[in-house]
Amino acid sequence: SSSHHTKTPQVSDTFWCGHFLDLFAGSGTIQDGENCCFMHWVGLPKRWQKRHPLYPWQEDILNDLNNGVKFFFHLKPPKIGATQFWLLWALFQAIKNPKWRYGQAGIVVATSGREEAEKMIERTKEILVVKNKDGKPMLDKNDNLLYKYPINQGYNTKREFTINTVKFRAFPAQNDHINAIRSQPNMQLVIGDEVAFFSTVDQGKIRDAFEHYIGGSDAIIALITTAGNSPSGFAYDIYKEEPSIYKKIIHDYHVGLIVHPESQTSLYRKS
């Protein structure tokens, strides 16, 4: 069942316009739904009832991507919008990048089994849900969610969906599933979420599953994690290794306190 749309919307070729304020109009903010960039078109992420632009560290990752960096390791504090950034960027690529056609974006969630993986698929689809002024999701006359861009739910709606021929799939992280991610055709992006928490999985196997795509494909690998329970495992190995194929981005909680100059918001509240 795909979502009901008469025509495919025009989406900006720009992922992020770089601004929160409408500098040309000389007043106010750029509203959600504007077509200056994909981020504004889908609606900026919200937290504490406020809209949040991309912060400088997110813009740095975007610059790296635009400059051809392919392998990322991001050690970060909780709730700074790191995973959300990758989900947004993946949706943008799926809609706009012809190289992604009939490709896949795989999301591997380390913290637990199926529920977490399914939540990631929900989160990704949620970005495209049409909302009213109060932020409530809007439904069509058959009580189906309305999406800003047609989504094909496929047969396994909890674990995958397709947008513009690109399949988004979540892979739970138990040992018996991890090999499933290795043999996927045309993988464009693999997101590993909370990679320091692959406790039930053989560490060599998991690293091998992610890095299986290196060399033989164009896949981008984004390994994201908060600090694990102990200094061990493949995420810790990457953290320590020099040289590394990964662009290592190491942030502590201070990154969440950075105030954006245009929006005057930060991702953490100063208490």
Side-chain angles (χ1 to χ4, degrees), residues 53-216:
L54 284 194
Y55 286 85
W57 64 270
Q58 291 168 312
E59 293 180 327
D60 289 345
I61 296 173
L62 186 59
N63 288 335
D64 286 335
L65 282 163
N66 292 338
N67 289 325
V69 176
K70 286 181 129 158
F71 312 127
F72 295 82
F73 174 80
H74 189 185
L75 179 64
K76 60 159 196 99
K79 300 220 181 326
I80 58 164
T83 307
Q84 193 77 356
F85 166 85
W86 283 101
L87 298 179
L88 280 155
W89 185 80
L91 284 170
F92 174 70
Q93 296 302 315
I95 292 171
K96 297 302 291 189
N97 188 341
K99 289 190 180 139
W100 277 46
R101 276 189 81 68
Y102 297 102
Q104 293 196 60
I107 306 166
V108 185
V109 187
T111 33
S112 72
R114 276 207 322 265
E115 297 76 39
E116 290 293 323
E118 289 169 0
K119 264 190 210 141
M120 286 297 249
I121 287 296
E122 276 310 302
R123 259 178 84 175
T124 313
K125 289 195 294 197
E126 174 125 310
I127 290 168
L128 291 170
V129 169
V130 179
K131 299 185 180 77
N132 67 16
K133 287 231 174 353
D134 303 326
K136 299 262 190 324
M138 291 180 67
L139 305 173
D140 67 12
K141 57 182 188 302
N142 301 321
D143 284 344
N144 296 312
L145 283 170
L146 280 170
Y147 291 98
K148 294 180 178 172
Y149 199 93
I151 285 182
N152 188 331
Q153 305 273 17
Y155 69 96
N156 185 353
T157 56
K158 284 190 162 26
R159 209 80 69 72
E160 61 184 56
F161 69 92
T162 302
I163 180 164
N164 203 22
T165 76
V166 178
K167 187 181 272 188
F168 283 73
R169 295 180 68 186
F171 297 84
Q174 297 95 336
N175 247 338
D176 49 344
H177 287 98
I178 208 61
N179 285 331
I181 200 168
R182 290 176 53 126
S183 51
Q184 296 300 321
N186 204 2
M187 188 66 84
Q188 296 296 327
L189 171 67
V190 186
I191 299 172
D193 197 52
E194 291 296 14
V195 292
F197 293 88
F198 277 107
S199 49
T200 59
V201 185
D202 174 323
Q203 296 291 312
K205 241 187 201 171
I206 179 69
R207 182 163 187 178
D208 188 52
F210 282 118
E211 295 181 1
H212 177 70
Y213 293 99
I214 292 172

